[in-house]
């Protein structure tokens, strides 16, 4: 399994980044039928909060014409939920690529520490290079992330070869 961790401080846009990666993968690289919050769907299933931000989600997509499963878990603020999502994606669904989110600090019981501990148990490496890009201007919150979305998708392409 390969791991991509989207990291950033509280409200930096980790879930937004994960949602935009999900959209790009679903629209252009993966099969339409996929799992979203553990339900089989055929459409973009992202949900929004009252303020227009993306709600946390878990998705499993299958790369077109390959037996490669990509799991995305956007939960980044509460360690018990992160552990549950990891168990589902890694241990139950056996994803080949995991995209997760975590706050920037590696402290005891932080989501980052949970991800690191869980994946080290099965011998996985945690890359630290995906820090979210964000703007204080709400109109630019998705635009500023586009180059990073492309970088993450390119990284996935190299991981699945």
């Amino acid at each position: 399994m390969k791991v991509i961790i989207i990291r950033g401080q509280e409200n930096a846009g980790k879930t937004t980044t994960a949602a935009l990666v999900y959209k790009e993968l679903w629209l252009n690289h993966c099969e339409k039928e996929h799992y979203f919050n553990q339900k089989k769907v055929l459409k973009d299933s992202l949900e929004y909060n009252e303020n227009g931000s993306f709600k946390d989600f878990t998705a499993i997509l299958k790369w077109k014409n390959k037996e490669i499963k990509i799991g995305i878990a956007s939960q980044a603020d509460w360690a018990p939920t992160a552990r549950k999502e990891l168990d589902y994606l890694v241990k139950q669904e056996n994803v080949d690529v995991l995209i997760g989110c975590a706050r920037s600090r590696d402290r005891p019981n932080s989501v980052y520490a949970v991800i690191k501990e869980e994946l080290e148990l099965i011998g996985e490496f945690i890359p630290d290079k995906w820090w979210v890009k964000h703007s204080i201007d709400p109109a630019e919150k998705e635009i500023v992330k586009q180059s990073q979305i492309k970088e993450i998708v390119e990284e996935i392409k190299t991981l699945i070869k």
Side-chain angles (χ1 to χ4, degrees):
M1 182 181 62
K2 307 297 182 185
V3 179
I4 294 172
I5 302 297
I6 299 168
R7 295 182 68 193
Q9 298 175 2
E10 185 176 7
N11 297 318
K14 298 175 296 292
T15 296
T16 299
T17 302
L20 295 173
V21 168
Y22 161 81
K23 277 184 158 184
E24 173 63 23
L25 291 173
W26 182 76
L27 285 171
N28 298 310
H29 305 283
C30 293
E31 294 179 4
K32 296 303 175 207
E33 183 176 275
H34 64 286
Y35 286 89
F36 193 91
N37 292 338
Q38 300 187 15
K39 294 178 186 151
K40 192 179 281 191
V41 295
L42 290 165
K43 61 183 178 118
D44 172 355
S45 297
L46 289 168
E47 298 173 345
Y48 301 87
N49 292 307
E50 290 178 11
N51 65 2
S53 64
F54 294 104
K55 288 185 176 183
D56 282 320
F57 68 95
T58 303
I60 300 173
L61 301 119
K62 185 178 166 208
W63 198 266
K64 285 182 184 173
N65 303 318
K66 291 193 178 214
E67 292 298 319
I68 303 292
K69 291 195 312 189
I70 301 165
I72 305 173
S74 72
Q75 177 60 266
D77 296 327
W78 200 49
T81 302
R83 189 177 305 276
K84 179 181 159 199
E85 297 302 328
L86 280 175
D87 285 346
Y88 167 65
L89 292 170
V90 175
K91 296 175 183 173
Q92 291 180 36
E93 293 297 329
N94 298 309
V95 297
D96 300 292
V97 177
L98 173 66
I99 301 168
C101 296
R103 288 193 184 166
S104 58
R105 299 201 177 146
D106 184 5
R107 294 185 286 200
N109 298 317
S110 70
V111 171
Y112 183 81
V114 166
I115 292 170
K116 188 174 173 183
E117 289 164 14
E118 287 287 315
L119 297 178
E120 282 179 348
L121 290 175
I122 55 174
E124 297 301 334
F125 171 71
I126 308 291
D128 285 337
K129 70 181 191 176
W130 301 107
W131 291 84
V132 294
K133 295 179 180 177
H134 65 281
S135 171
I136 57 171
D137 181 352
E140 293 183 1
K141 75 177 186 177
E142 291 186 20
I143 295 168
V144 73
K145 296 179 183 315
Q146 291 307 309
S147 64
Q148 189 169 44
I149 303 313
K150 288 178 185 173
E151 289 172 12
I152 291 172
V153 170
E154 288 304 312
E155 181 76 9
I156 293 167
K157 287 180 184 179
T158 65
L159 295 176
I160 65 171
K161 287 186 178 181

